């Protein structure tokens, strides 16, 4: 740690000097360089560019558009419009920050340099990693090409494939409908179940449900790691007669015979199991983007290696990370990124002022899980998988109010507050709702008994 600190001091000095003594140099140098303009990156860029002079914050982001991805589950079920889920990137990136519209291709944390796709090297004093995740459909044999030829294949995780989801649901006439969960960390792990519950409801309404077998083939050994919410989800699965197959990881799709091949993660030998499918919703394996995964910034699992409380890099104290790209052991959601943003802001400010980071993130993550059209449970929990609920009622109960919150209020919070760096999660609301007596519920502990009987 001491060594790393020395490196940073040298780094900041050297860069500033070369910049100031060479006014005609084309070398770009930012006080804070943010990589990625998803929810976490935008929020942090806003927080710091509002405090610093124009041109002190740079943000690297190749995309033209910014999407509110939680809406894509609703798009897949025909309950929302894809066009309404995005805005031009230029509208969400802070005006006072410099937008470098290209990809970050290499990271040299010892020299404090990020190399762009253009070949240009950008220097920084402080780096914030917020790249999000890359979708690796190509890790499944037969994909992504299969999506082009088989109309019964779809995925709410991708801009193109989400548009195939509603037609695939509507064209299903019975047989096997399979929904998968991969063997990697993913963003919004509730989404694969949500689209399944909504599809089930549509098939029930059009009267074909009794001709359908619905399978949830998950790589996990449990339905959900927080017991309180697992209890509700197991009841929903039971009520809907959905079969859950645990420890099944999709490795191949044969579109010509309509077979999905799963690796049996619980078998000692490398056994596989084949399922005929008539509808297949794929949640792809995910990782950090290749340049991040191949950089010195990551741990052995390929995620940016930060302290789980301070969000400061374990080796390079002038680097922080938030959102899906970091290795903090909590569920990857926008709510987690929003909350992390508040702690990161305090800790990066401290480090910029020569102090130690002090603010400690508790692992808060949250996701509204739609269990039927118009009903939702609002899961909220911390690092210990203990419920940490905002509202003073039982959020494990399926409620219309929580659905309305998800559909109408949270998107407004996202666009108008979070992206502008004004929303650090609902902690303050939780305190108000609980008259200052908030804290995790201790009655529910993580238990192996949340698997269900399927
Ligand atoms: C939240 O803060 C957030 O970030 C903006 C989300 O992402 C879109 C969420 O889904 C949720 C549930 C929260 C938590 C907010 C409240 C009001 C409980």
């Amino acid at each position: 740690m001491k060594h790393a600190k020395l490196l940073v001091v040298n780094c900041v000095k050297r860069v500033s000097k070369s910049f100031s003594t060479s006014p005609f140099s084309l070398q770009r140098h930012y006080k804070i360089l943010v990589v990625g303009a998803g929810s976490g990156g935008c929020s942090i860029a806003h927080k710091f560019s509002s405090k610093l002079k124009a041109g002190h914050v740079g943000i690297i982001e190749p995309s033209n558009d910014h999407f509110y991805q939680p809406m894509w589950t609703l798009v897949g079920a025909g309950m929302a419009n894809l066009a309404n889920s995005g805005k031009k990137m230029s509208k969400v990136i802070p005006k006072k920050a410099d937008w470098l519209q290209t990809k970050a291709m290499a990271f040299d944390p010892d020299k404090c340099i990020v190399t762009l796709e253009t070949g240009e090297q950008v220097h920084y004093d402080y780096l914030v990693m917020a790249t999000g995740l890359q979708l690796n459909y190509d890790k499944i044999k037969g994909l992504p090409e299969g999506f082009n030829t088989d109309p019964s294949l779809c995925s709410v995780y991708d801009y193109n494939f989400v548009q195939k989801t509603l037609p695939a649901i509507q064209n299903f006439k019975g047989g096997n409908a399979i929904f998968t969960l991969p063997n990697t960390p993913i963003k919004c792990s509730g989404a694969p179940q949500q689209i399944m519950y909504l599809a089930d409801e549509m098939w029930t309404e059009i009267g074909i449900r009794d001709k359908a077998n619905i399978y949830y083939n998950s790589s996990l050994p449990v339905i959900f790691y927080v017991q309180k919410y697992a209890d509700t989800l197991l009841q929903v699965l039971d009520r809907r007669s959905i079969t859950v197959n645990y420890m099944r990881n999709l490795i191949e799709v044969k579109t010509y015979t309509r077979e999905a091949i799963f690796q049996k993660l619980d078998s000692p030998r490398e056994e596989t199991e084949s399922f005929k499918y008539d509808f297949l919703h794929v949640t792809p394996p995910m990782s950090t983007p290749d340049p991040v995964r191949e950089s010195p910034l990551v741990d052995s699992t390929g995620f940016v290696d930060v302290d789980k409380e301070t969000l400061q890099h374990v080796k390079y104290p002038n680097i922080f990370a938030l959102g899906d790209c970091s290795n903090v052991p909590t569920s990857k959601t926008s709510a987690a990124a929003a909350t992390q943003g508040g702690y990161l802001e305090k800790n990066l400010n401290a480090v910029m002022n020569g102090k130690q980071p002090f603010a400690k993130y508790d692992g808060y993550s949250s996701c509204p899980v739609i269990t039927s059209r118009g009903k939702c449970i609002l899961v909220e929990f911390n690092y210990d998988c203990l419920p940490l609920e905002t509202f003073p009622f039982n959020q494990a109960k399926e409620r219309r109010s929580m659905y309305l919150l998800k559909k109408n209020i949270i998107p407004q919070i996202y666009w108008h507050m979070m992206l502008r760096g004004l929303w650090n999660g609902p902690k303050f609301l939780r305190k108000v709702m609980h008259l200052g007596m908030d804290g995790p519920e201790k009655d529910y502990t993580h238990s192996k008994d949340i698997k269900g009987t399927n």
Side-chain angles (χ1 to χ4, degrees), residues 68 70 334-335 338 364 366-368 378 380 390-391 405 410 413-414 418 423 425-426 429:
Y68 177 65
S334 269
Y364 172 85
S366 167
C367 171
L378 179 60
E380 295 185 282
T390 299
F391 298 99
L405 178 82
I410 292 177
I413 295 178
Y414 182 85
M418 178 173 179
W423 175 257
L429 205 58

Side-chain angles (χ1 to χ4, degrees), residues 118-190:
T118 54
E120 188 186 350
Q121 294 193 326
V122 184
H123 296 245
Y124 58 83
D125 289 351
Y126 301 95
L127 183 70
V128 178
M129 296 295 290
T131 62
L133 297 180
Q134 154 184 302
L135 306 178
N136 297 323
Y137 287 101
D138 58 349
K139 292 270 184 282
I140 299 164
K141 199 169 164 200
L143 298 185
E145 316 77 67
F147 283 104
N148 301 327
T149 52
D150 187 345
S152 62
L153 268 180
C154 57
S155 176
V156 296
Y157 278 90
D158 181 273
Y159 181 84
N160 293 312
F161 310 149
V162 65
Q163 304 181 56
K164 295 187 68 196
T165 307
L166 183 62
I169 294 173
Q170 287 170 334
N171 291 332
F172 178 70
K173 301 283 179 281
N176 290 347
I178 305 174
F179 297 79
T180 71
L181 190 83
N183 191 20
T184 64
I186 61 166
K187 49 182 153 182
C188 191
S189 56

Side-chain angles (χ1 to χ4, degrees), residues 101-133:
Q101 195 180 5
T102 177
K103 281 188 188 152
M105 294 306 282
F107 299 86
D108 185 342
D110 293 319
K111 295 197 179 121
C112 302
I113 291 175
V114 176
T115 305
L116 306 178
E117 201 174 25
T118 54
E120 188 186 350
Q121 294 193 326
V122 184
H123 296 245
Y124 58 83
D125 289 351
Y126 301 95
L127 183 70
V128 178
M129 296 295 290
T131 62
L133 297 180

Side-chain angles (χ1 to χ4, degrees), residues 122-315:
V122 184
H123 296 245
Y124 58 83
D125 289 351
Y126 301 95
L127 183 70
V128 178
M129 296 295 290
T131 62
L133 297 180
Q134 154 184 302
L135 306 178
N136 297 323
Y137 287 101
D138 58 349
K139 292 270 184 282
I140 299 164
K141 199 169 164 200
L143 298 185
E145 316 77 67
F147 283 104
N148 301 327
T149 52
D150 187 345
S152 62
L153 268 180
C154 57
S155 176
V156 296
Y157 278 90
D158 181 273
Y159 181 84
N160 293 312
F161 310 149
V162 65
Q163 304 181 56
K164 295 187 68 196
T165 307
L166 183 62
I169 294 173
Q170 287 170 334
N171 291 332
F172 178 70
K173 301 283 179 281
N176 290 347
I178 305 174
F179 297 79
T180 71
L181 190 83
N183 191 20
T184 64
I186 61 166
K187 49 182 153 182
C188 191
S189 56
Q193 284 185 56
Q194 300 184 60
I195 188 64
M196 176 170 70
Y197 300 140
L198 293 171
D200 172 39
E201 200 164 356
M202 281 190 257
W203 293 329
T204 305
E205 276 170 15
I206 58 170
I208 58 149
R209 180 61 182 90
D210 53 353
K211 293 193 215 113
N213 306 306
I214 304 184
Y215 298 102
Y216 184 60
N217 283 6
S218 163
S219 293
L220 297 179
V222 295
I223 196 68
F224 202 81
Y225 277 106
V226 184
Q227 163 120 43
K228 179 174 182 179
Y229 307 121
D231 288 347
T232 304
L233 294 172
L234 289 171
Q235 281 165 22
V236 173
L237 290 158
D238 191 46
R239 179 174 89 216
R240 293 180 173 281
S241 304
I242 293 172
T243 304
V244 184
N245 295 307
Y246 294 101
M247 306 292 274
R248 295 292 179 276
N249 180 36
L250 181 66
I251 53 169
E252 184 174 0
V253 179
K254 293 182 182 166
T255 49
Y256 41 98
T257 50
R258 290 230 164 133
E259 271 176 284
I261 318 291
F262 291 83
Q263 181 188 11
K264 291 172 83 170
L265 300 172
D266 50 359
S267 99
R269 277 155 286 128
E270 299 210 334
E271 273 180 75
T272 58
E273 188 174 14
S274 172
F275 286 74
K276 281 269 181 199
Y277 69 85
D278 300 281
F279 171 99
L280 180 60
H281 179 273
V282 180
T283 301
M286 300 179 199
S287 68
T288 50
D290 292 338
V292 179
R293 203 164 43 83
E294 289 155 11
S295 78
L297 302 181
V298 298
D299 67 7
S300 60
T301 65
F303 290 86
V304 182
D305 201 0
V306 295
D307 179 277
K308 71 176 198 172
E309 290 182 327
T310 64
L311 309 174
Q312 184 182 40
H313 199 278
V314 296
K315 199 161 154 221

Side-chain angles (χ1 to χ4, degrees), residues 6-25:
L6 270 177
L7 276 177
V8 173
V9 173
N10 287 341
C11 195
V12 171
K13 256 193 187 162
R14 186 171 59 244
V15 172
S16 307
K17 203 171 166 205
S18 77
F19 195 62
S20 56
T21 53
S22 171
F24 303 112
S25 157

Side-chain angles (χ1 to χ4, degrees), residues 76-94:
M79 294 157 67
N81 194 324
L82 185 59
N84 295 338
S85 69
K87 290 195 179 172
K88 286 280 157 234
M89 195 61 82
S90 54
K91 296 268 181 265
V92 295
I93 284 183

